Amino acid sequence: MQHVQGRIFRDLSLPEVGPAERSALYIAMIETLALLHSFDLQSLGLQGYGRGPGYCRRQVSTWKKQYDAAAHTDIPAMNKLAEWLGDNLPPDDNEEILIHGDFRIDNIIFHPTEARVLAVLDWELSTAGHPLADLAYATLFYFWPTSMKDLSQGSVLGFKDTIESPSFEELVSIYCRCRGISTTLSNFNFFLALSYFKMAAIAQGVYARYLIGNASAENSHEFAKIVKPLAERGLELSKRSSFSSTHHSISGEFFHQSRKGQEILLKVKQFMKQHIYPAEKEIINYYAGHGNTEEKWKKPPLLERLKEMAKAEGLWNLFLPDISGLSQLDYALIAEETGKCFFAPEVFNCHAPDTGNMEVLHMYGTEEQKKEWLEPLLEGKISSCFCMTEPDVASSDATNMQCSIEREGNSYVINGKKWWSSGAGNPNCKVAIVMGKTKTSSASRYEQHSMIIVPMDTPGLKLIRPLSVFGYLDEIHGGHFEIHFNDVRVPVSNIILGEGRGFEIAQGRLGPGRIHHCMRSLGAAETALQIMCQRAAQRETFGKKLYHHEVVAHWIAECRLSIEQARLLTLKTASKIDTLGNRKARKEVAMTKVVVPRAVLKVIDCAIQVCGGAGVSQDFPLASMFAYIRTLRLADGPDEVHLSAIARWELLDQSKKLTAKI
């Protein structure tokens, strides 16, 4: 035995740490429990440890005897619960796995600064038995009766605040994944009911010691009050067949994710909480420290490590249905989750412009083009940029493009200027997809442009300058560059799909890809709303908390309304793409691209207002979030173009109805 220096949290809600660290600590706890349950008693030299099969039966008997010996009054719920437990012992009551017996987060020593378990305390109840008894006991607080929160403070299970993150489902999923078992836990209702029975018996024992004057807890006289509620909650849990710590009221109820989509979303949430959120500070510091050097265009080593970790867990290329097996609806909720952190999409290889370029190559590329460019993009070995917008014409009308792509023998020669080519500053950017005008006899304005693959090291291609967005260079995404093409010559085989097919490709590229930005933006809105609420709860003006001012309370309410409405439209659009295809969902896509950025900007603006001067400073992410989201009202086409298209399609739909009536 040795002294271990670290942290012990007596309040299970961990009020000393922020949400991200709280999640990481609980995940570390549950991973430790899974590791404990994976040990082989024989290999540890613990043959004969415990009392053999029948652990659950012995537990019911032991705690029933302790309760009966300490009882000072008759509590029918305790008697009923004891009877139910005795009559419903699990059929696999012969498990002999090393268990702790009192596994809770307040019996763990964590590293002083990291979310890492250093030691597990209080092994006096350890034995060989059923592992689900430990899991249920470690998570029973998720089902703690709300009416008992105040009574439980300072007791054997004390916590002041609701523990919403991580969720019960997430912890169970992590535990099962670590142990390699199914998330369908047989008889888990028994083990939760047993845990509450055990807690009630312990509480009764504390009160009994108070009555004879030898209780150590200062509030031991109050323990009698929690015995009945604990027993009643145990009885309630005994009747359940499924378990959820919260009653979700998300838009997904109306648009159902597939089973695989739900599993991937849960894994992404876990990865975000365990790895990405804790890395935010280091990555922000990297870019702040290299702001005036060329190093700012390089990726921080930590980001590269996170990408390798995500890839190893199978959380990679989730945006592409043919590879991920996910629908657009599945991906919508996943993309929203990644949008809560500015660098998270890249960790999962789901970031623009690479996603759009990969979609183009996947849908329209030749086998040779796929092998040379798509495969390394999918593997994350290289990155790319997309060159469409031009500085010398009004690019909201894409037919104005002047950059030329002319055939000369076995080559195409490209001349022109492009700007807002996102990602071009990344040293790993090896290829651009360029849209330009080709000579064609077609009379249609929309059949005169083509897309072509241009390696970034091709002679004549020159990066002119990075363009700032409200003063931000957006280094982490490779910036947004002006690029000049002077007699840039590439093989004829680099043309995509064929001459004059540029707008056809663009529509395909901007189908699902069009709403990916909107999906991620909703995650940013959730982050902004969280910041707003935290600030409103922390700061006081004129003698009261900010949220007590009606105007601030209304902002919070309006922001929640806006997010929910925008999410519903986004999910409807994703669902329509899945069921009817890109073309049939054109109106919904355009509506989403107008509604979502407007809604998200409103949320961010309110958050800035609540945070005051801090909201526009580098101390908060709100200013950079505002700059990024504001560009979406231009980047995927200006609102006005979308509104005109929506009106045209709406009038067409209405005219069909009128004709039908006539």
Side-chain angles (χ1 to χ4, degrees):
M1 185 177 292
Q2 62 182 10
H3 173 73
V4 178
Q5 185 71 36
R7 295 178 290 172
I8 297 177
F9 299 96
R10 294 303 181 192
D11 186 326
L12 273 63
S13 61
L14 280 54
E16 307 95 321
V17 302
E21 187 176 5
R22 181 187 303 118
S23 292
L25 289 165
Y26 265 103
I27 289 170
M29 175 199 78
I30 215 69
E31 288 177 338
T32 300
L33 181 62
L35 179 63
L36 169 66
H37 291 162
S38 69
F39 290 145
D40 180 69
L41 287 171
Q42 188 170 352
S43 64
L44 293 174
L46 295 175
Q47 301 93 326
Y49 188 66
R51 297 172 57 188
Y55 169 80
C56 297
R57 175 179 48 78
R58 290 194 299 274
Q59 283 290 295
V60 174
S61 174
T62 297
W63 293 111
K64 177 69 166 66
K65 289 176 182 177
Q66 291 206 19
Y67 168 73
D68 289 342
H72 68 287
T73 186
D74 182 52
I75 300 178
M78 279 297 283
N79 299 327
K80 290 179 182 178
L81 183 54
E83 182 180 356
W84 184 91
L85 290 168
D87 292 342
N88 291 273
L89 294 171
D92 58 344
D93 193 20
N94 55 355
E95 289 265 17
E96 291 186 74
I97 289 177
L98 179 62
I99 63 173
H100 183 272
D102 194 19
F103 197 88
R104 306 192 310 253
I105 202 163
D106 55 337
N107 275 337
I108 291 175
I109 300 178
F110 289 95
H111 186 278
T113 59
E114 300 174 16
R116 181 157 54 88
V117 174
L118 298 181
V120 179
L121 307 175
D122 293 348
W123 288 83
E124 59 265 24
L125 295 179
S126 175
T127 186
H130 203 299
L132 291 189
D134 269 352
L135 180 62
Y137 195 68
T139 57
L140 66 83
F141 59 85
Y142 280 111
F143 307 95
W144 200 253
T146 305
S147 61
M148 288 176 48
K149 285 291 174 65
D150 293 335
L151 290 175
S152 63
Q153 291 180 36
S155 71
V156 285
L157 195 71
F159 52 103
K160 298 176 182 177
D161 301 316
T162 301
I163 303 171
E164 297 180 348
S165 179
S167 68
F168 167 76
E169 295 85 352
E170 289 171 308
L171 287 187
V172 169
S173 175
I174 293 169
Y175 173 84
C176 294
R177 177 164 52 85
C178 290
R179 287 198 62 204
I181 63 176
S182 170
T183 54
T184 303
L185 302 176
S186 299
N187 304 299
F188 199 65
N189 60 330
F190 172 87
F191 293 101
L192 276 175
L194 175 62
S195 294
Y196 273 89
F197 183 66
K198 174 180 173 180
M199 292 296 299
I202 291 172
Q204 185 64 59
V206 172
Y207 183 70
R209 289 194 294 276
Y210 159 75
L211 292 177
I212 60 176
N214 63 358
S216 59
E218 292 183 2
N219 63 338
S220 56
H221 62 285
E222 295 186 352
F223 275 60
K225 300 176 185 177
I226 67 174
V227 177
K228 181 182 176 182
L230 286 172
E232 290 174 342
R233 178 49 56 95
L235 277 173
E236 178 194 335
L237 292 170
S238 72
K239 299 172 185 176
R240 290 200 201 178
S241 57
S242 61
F243 297 90
S244 174
S245 56
T246 56
H247 298 287
H248 299 287
S249 56
I250 61 171
S251 306
E253 291 176 353
F254 304 103
F255 301 98
H256 297 287
Q257 277 187 301
S258 68
R259 177 75 177 178
K260 182 173 183 179
Q262 293 172 0
E263 292 173 354
I264 294 294
L265 175 59
L266 194 57
K267 289 180 69 175
V268 167
K269 286 182 175 181
Q270 293 163 2
F271 192 94
M272 295 274 291
K273 290 170 182 175
Q274 191 170 8
H275 303 296
I276 290 181
Y277 294 135
E280 280 185 302
K281 186 175 182 180
E282 182 175 334
I283 288 180
I284 290 171
N285 289 341
Y286 173 88
Y287 286 103
H290 295 89
N292 297 318
T293 71
E294 286 303 306
E295 294 293 311
K296 65 178 176 289
W297 299 113
K298 297 180 180 179
K299 302 294 181 180
L302 176 57
L303 182 59
E304 297 299 335
R305 291 198 299 273
L306 289 172
K307 290 164 71 172
E308 289 302 318
M309 292 167 63
K311 193 174 184 181
E313 291 199 22
L315 302 176
W316 196 254
N317 296 325
L318 304 175
F319 69 96
L320 202 54
D322 287 347
I323 291 178
S324 67
L326 300 172
S327 67
Q328 291 300 323
L329 179 60
D330 287 332
Y331 182 62
L333 292 168
I334 293 167
E336 177 181 335
E337 196 66 28
T338 67
K340 294 177 181 179
C341 174
F342 68 101
F343 62 85
E346 182 171 354
V347 171
F348 304 108
N349 209 39
C350 294
H351 57 297
D354 286 351
T355 48
N357 289 340
M358 285 188 272
E359 284 175 328
V360 166
L361 293 169
H362 176 73
M363 291 188 289
Y364 305 110
T366 64
E367 291 305 312
E368 180 185 346
Q369 291 167 352
K370 289 178 181 179
K371 185 172 182 61
E372 186 172 5
W373 301 113
L374 177 59
E375 289 182 10
L377 280 168
L378 288 170
E379 292 171 8
K381 293 180 178 178
I382 66 171
S383 65
S384 63
C385 66
F386 185 67
C387 303
M388 183 172 179
T389 307
E390 298 183 6
D392 297 331
V393 298
S395 296
S396 57
D397 179 355
T399 63
N400 286 334
M401 274 185 282
Q402 296 177 341
C403 179
S404 65
I405 302 174
E406 296 186 3
R407 175 80 179 257
E408 288 188 7
N410 292 325
S411 302
Y412 280 105
V413 180
I414 304 155
N415 283 283
K417 300 176 182 178
K418 296 289 184 180
W419 69 346
W420 298 108
S421 298
S422 301
N426 182 351
N428 204 37
C429 181
K430 303 300 182 184
V431 64
I433 293 181
V434 181
M435 187 166 176
K437 195 167 186 177
T438 46
K439 289 183 178 179
T440 176
S441 58
S442 173
S444 171
R445 299 171 64 209
Y446 298 101
E447 295 179 0
Q448 298 178 13
H449 297 77
S450 305
M451 287 194 189
I452 195 164
I453 297 169
V454 181
M456 295 297 287
D457 59 0
T458 308
L461 186 157
K462 185 178 182 181
L463 300 186
I464 302 301
R465 58 175 178 146
L467 301 164
S468 65
V469 181
F470 290 104
Y472 294 98
L473 289 178
D474 205 10
E475 298 94 337
I476 192 166
H477 299 122
H480 313 280
F481 274 73
E482 180 174 346
I483 303 178
H484 290 184
F485 298 83
N486 297 308
D487 292 328
V488 174
R489 188 177 296 270
V490 297
V492 168
S493 59
N494 282 23
I495 200 79
I496 302 176
L497 198 59
E499 290 188 17
R501 310 288 291 274
F503 278 98
E504 179 184 343
I505 296 169
Q507 288 305 310
R509 180 186 193 273
L510 297 176
R514 274 181 164 181
I515 61 169
H516 289 174
H517 280 308
C518 296
M519 296 169 177
R520 290 189 289 266
S521 299
L522 290 168
E526 289 286 2
T527 298
L529 181 55
Q530 182 182 30
I531 291 171
M532 186 193 335
C533 291
Q534 288 176 345
R535 190 74 166 187
Q538 292 168 350
R539 294 299 178 99
E540 293 185 5
T541 60
F542 307 104
K544 57 184 178 181
K545 296 283 189 181
L546 288 179
Y547 65 79
H548 282 144
H549 293 279
E550 191 171 41
V551 64
V552 175
H554 285 189
W555 286 344
I556 292 170
E558 293 285 355
C559 287
R560 174 48 64 197
L561 295 176
S562 296
I563 291 172
E564 295 299 326
Q565 292 164 353
R567 182 184 291 115
L568 277 171
L569 178 57
T570 304
L571 293 176
K572 178 187 176 183
T573 303
S575 179
K576 194 164 185 177
I577 291 174
D578 287 332
T579 55
L580 299 178
N582 297 338
R583 186 171 181 80
K584 293 288 182 67
R586 287 181 303 173
K587 185 166 79 170
E588 284 74 14
V589 168
M591 291 162 60
T592 303
K593 291 175 68 176
V594 172
V595 168
V596 174
R598 286 182 177 180
V600 177
L601 279 174
K602 173 184 176 180
V603 175
I604 297 172
D605 189 60
C606 287
I608 289 173
Q609 201 69 10
V610 169
C611 291
V616 293
S617 76
Q618 69 270 39
D619 291 350
F620 282 77
L622 298 171
S624 60
M625 287 166 61
F626 186 93
Y628 166 67
I629 300 298
R630 182 60 182 85
T631 63
L632 293 187
R633 295 186 60 199
L634 300 168
D636 275 349
D639 287 1
E640 293 72 22
V641 171
H642 298 312
L643 290 169
S644 295
I646 293 165
R648 184 172 66 254
W649 288 321
E650 182 64 25
L651 289 167
L652 183 60
D653 290 343
Q654 293 289 345
S655 67
K656 290 177 181 177
K657 295 176 183 177
L658 291 173
T659 303
K661 288 180 180 179
I662 291 170

